[in-house]
Amino acid sequence: MDAEGQQNHLKAYGITYWGLEKNYKVSWLLNYRGGSFLFPDDEPIRRECQIRGVTFEVLSDAATNSILEEISSPSQNMETVVLEKAPKIAVYTPKGKQPWDDAVTMVLTYAEIPYEEIYDEEVLTDQLLLYDWLHLHHEDFTGQFGKFFGTYRTAPWYIEQKKEAENLALKLGYSKVSEEKLAVALKVRDYVIGGGFMFAMCSATDSFEIALAAEGVDICEPMFDGDSSDPNYQSQINYNNSFAFKDFILERRPETYEFSDIDTTDDRAKKRVPFQQDYFTLMDFSAKWDPIPTMLCQNHTQLVKGFMGQTTAFSGDKIKSNVLRLGENKLNGEARYIHGTRGKGMFTFYGGHDPEDYQHFVGDAPTVLDLHPNSPGYRLILNNVLFPAARKKKLKT
């Protein structure tokens, strides 16, 4: 899985998932040649790799043992992690969305990793319990319809989506979309606390956090929910309820395409961050002592090309101290990729919309991943997909 040796990094994750489904013993060799995967030598595996265009090497037992000895050496920042079973994957996404509307569904489809789509009805009837890993689509959990009001309020698609959301809320027994979305956010929160793995990108990250912190507070203006917001609602925000962010200030103006100052998109515009210099660096963790963040950062490069979104990256001073920064741009004082625990579960937030589309706009053509089979940005998504498959090691204390 290094830069020179693998012709299709993304489909290699699909091969690994396929191997787990077929009950092969698979090991993830952390920090060894870009985070390679070790399989038993079997003809069906070779054939599947050839069909999908994934590069593989056949090793002798002696060579394999030598590699494993090298990895186990205390002097090497490497580790072998056994992957146990293929995690069952759910993608929270509105009905009728195409795979290319969301980077995660797009790369899962490209890598041939199966997933099931769920939405509010399934979440509110406790069907999250059926899944090991949950991805949140670039959704708005605050009930402000994506803050598209300023630019798209007269667009037919916006009017239709708003109507559909209001009808769904009424069907599920809620008078407002904001109340219904809060109920969904609370179910997701409970899923994580109970031991689930949750991954979110773009606006699903900060809108989820804001919904939790604003529980019981009306932060929506009349064009969103038909009545006025609570006076001085900013002072009623409870940052203890959020997973990752603190001390953020909400964006009150309904015509502004922004939820809060968690996101750095506007700040980047002021600084005029040049496209050519927009990269973020993956952090280097101890594979033996910190295998979880090490797994999430496996890649064939530590420098990853940046990309924009409604929520592009997270302001460094808004991130809670107990949250790990996996990828950051120190020049801008922002984190792009963060991870933390809540209860028995874990969450990962990844800023931006599409790792291979620098500035995606509504209506833009979908990214063709056949043109980006070695995308470092998309590899980070797939690290999260495989992460729940890892065998949990017993603590030494």
Side-chain angles (χ1 to χ4, degrees):
M1 293 291 281
D2 48 7
E4 300 79 18
Q6 181 53 255
Q7 63 180 343
N8 197 316
H9 287 91
L10 304 185
K11 285 189 178 289
Y13 286 88
I15 289 288
T16 304
Y17 191 96
W18 172 88
L20 293 172
E21 285 189 308
K22 300 294 182 182
N23 296 316
Y24 285 106
K25 180 182 177 181
V26 183
S27 294
W28 199 348
L29 309 182
L30 304 184
N31 290 348
Y32 177 79
R33 294 185 62 182
S36 297
F37 300 104
L38 179 64
F39 285 78
D41 184 23
D42 198 16
E43 181 56 33
I45 299 173
R46 294 193 196 190
R47 185 168 58 249
E48 198 67 27
C49 286
Q50 291 166 346
I51 291 170
R52 300 193 192 190
V54 172
T55 308
F56 65 95
E57 296 178 7
V58 179
L59 305 172
S60 66
D61 289 345
T64 301
N65 290 333
S66 176
I67 290 170
L68 294 177
E69 285 179 14
E70 176 190 358
I71 291 172
S72 66
S73 170
S75 66
Q76 298 294 325
N77 186 20
M78 302 178 190
E79 182 63 301
T80 301
V81 172
V82 176
L83 302 181
E84 299 231 286
K85 68 167 189 173
K88 192 169 183 184
I89 297 168
V91 174
Y92 173 85
T93 184
K95 300 294 187 290
K97 287 286 184 180
Q98 298 300 318
W100 53 79
D101 288 326
D102 174 56
V104 173
T105 52
M106 189 157 54
V107 76
L108 289 172
T109 302
Y110 179 74
E112 300 178 57
I113 296 175
Y115 64 91
E116 295 181 15
E117 293 184 357
I118 62 171
Y119 203 49
D120 293 353
E121 291 179 88
E122 290 82 1
V123 172
L124 293 174
T125 53
D126 294 319
Q127 293 185 41
L128 284 180
L129 299 175
L130 302 174
Y131 303 96
D132 303 302
W133 189 84
L134 169 69
H135 165 58
L136 302 182
H137 188 81
H138 47 88
E139 182 71 29
D140 176 5
F141 291 96
T142 70
Q144 298 176 90
F145 307 103
K147 293 298 290 285
F148 286 117
F149 177 80
T151 304
Y152 295 107
R153 61 181 176 272
T154 60
W157 65 264
Y158 176 84
I159 296 169
E160 182 62 25
Q161 286 186 9
K162 184 175 183 291
K163 181 180 177 181
E164 288 175 357
E166 290 168 341
N167 289 341
L168 179 59
L170 290 173
K171 175 184 175 183
L172 296 174
Y174 298 88
S175 60
K176 296 182 180 181
V177 172
S178 57
E179 294 173 352
E180 189 256 332
K181 289 298 182 185
L182 171 62
V184 171
L186 294 175
K187 286 288 187 180
V188 174
R189 177 202 65 186
D190 293 345
Y191 165 79
V192 175
I193 290 173
F197 297 90
M198 184 263 278
F199 177 82
M201 283 188 74
C202 202
S203 62
T205 57
D206 51 352
S207 73
F208 174 76
E209 293 278 281
I210 291 166
L212 294 181
E215 181 182 359
V217 183
D218 188 343
I219 63 172
C220 294
E221 300 304 330
M223 66 285 298
F224 300 129
D225 67 352
D227 59 24
S228 299
S229 60
D230 288 346
N232 301 315
Y233 64 63
Q234 181 65 52
S235 63
Q236 301 177 60
I237 300 301
N238 186 350
Y239 302 111
N240 292 326
N241 289 346
S242 59
F243 282 14
F245 303 121
K246 63 178 183 178
D247 304 333
F248 48 85
I249 305 300
L250 303 186
E251 174 54 66
R252 295 191 68 105
R253 293 169 294 181
E255 70 276 7
T256 300
Y257 184 57
E258 187 62 273
F259 292 104
S260 75
D261 61 356
I262 293 171
D263 177 37
T264 63
T265 302
D266 289 345
D267 188 50
R268 291 166 131 255
K270 294 173 186 174
K271 293 178 180 178
R272 297 184 179 179
V273 176
F275 166 78
Q276 298 84 354
Q277 298 176 22
D278 192 359
Y279 285 82
F280 62 97
T281 303
L282 297 176
M283 301 298 100
D284 192 15
F285 296 94
S286 169
K288 290 180 172 61
W289 293 102
D290 295 309
I292 290 172
T294 304
M295 273 186 272
L296 296 178
C297 288
Q298 289 303 284
N299 226 308
H300 50 284
T301 177
Q302 275 196 287
L303 200 62
V304 183
K305 184 173 60 178
F307 52 101
M308 306 284 279
Q310 181 174 17
T311 303
T312 297
F314 317 118
S315 179
D317 63 354
K318 305 300 179 186
I319 300 172
K320 292 183 177 181
S321 60
N322 62 337
V323 174
L324 283 175
R325 304 182 190 200
L326 304 179
E328 58 184 7
N329 185 327
K330 290 188 177 181
L331 289 175
N332 296 331
E334 64 184 24
R336 165 73 59 154
Y337 184 42
I338 62 177
H339 173 76
T341 60
R342 189 75 163 192
K344 297 179 181 178
M346 299 183 185
F347 63 90
T348 305
F349 292 162
Y350 190 16
H353 180 81
D354 183 337
E356 293 298 336
D357 185 351
Y358 184 73
Q359 195 169 8
H360 185 87
F361 292 103
V362 174
D364 279 0
T367 296
V368 178
L369 283 180
D370 274 323
L371 302 177
H372 309 282
N374 311 106
S375 169
Y378 271 102
R379 273 199 70 177
L380 297 179
I381 297 173
L382 294 174
N383 286 340
N384 283 271
V385 172
L386 284 188
F387 165 59
R391 175 186 292 173
K392 309 302 181 293
K393 290 192 172 184
K394 291 184 179 180
L395 297 175
K396 296 181 180 179
T397 57

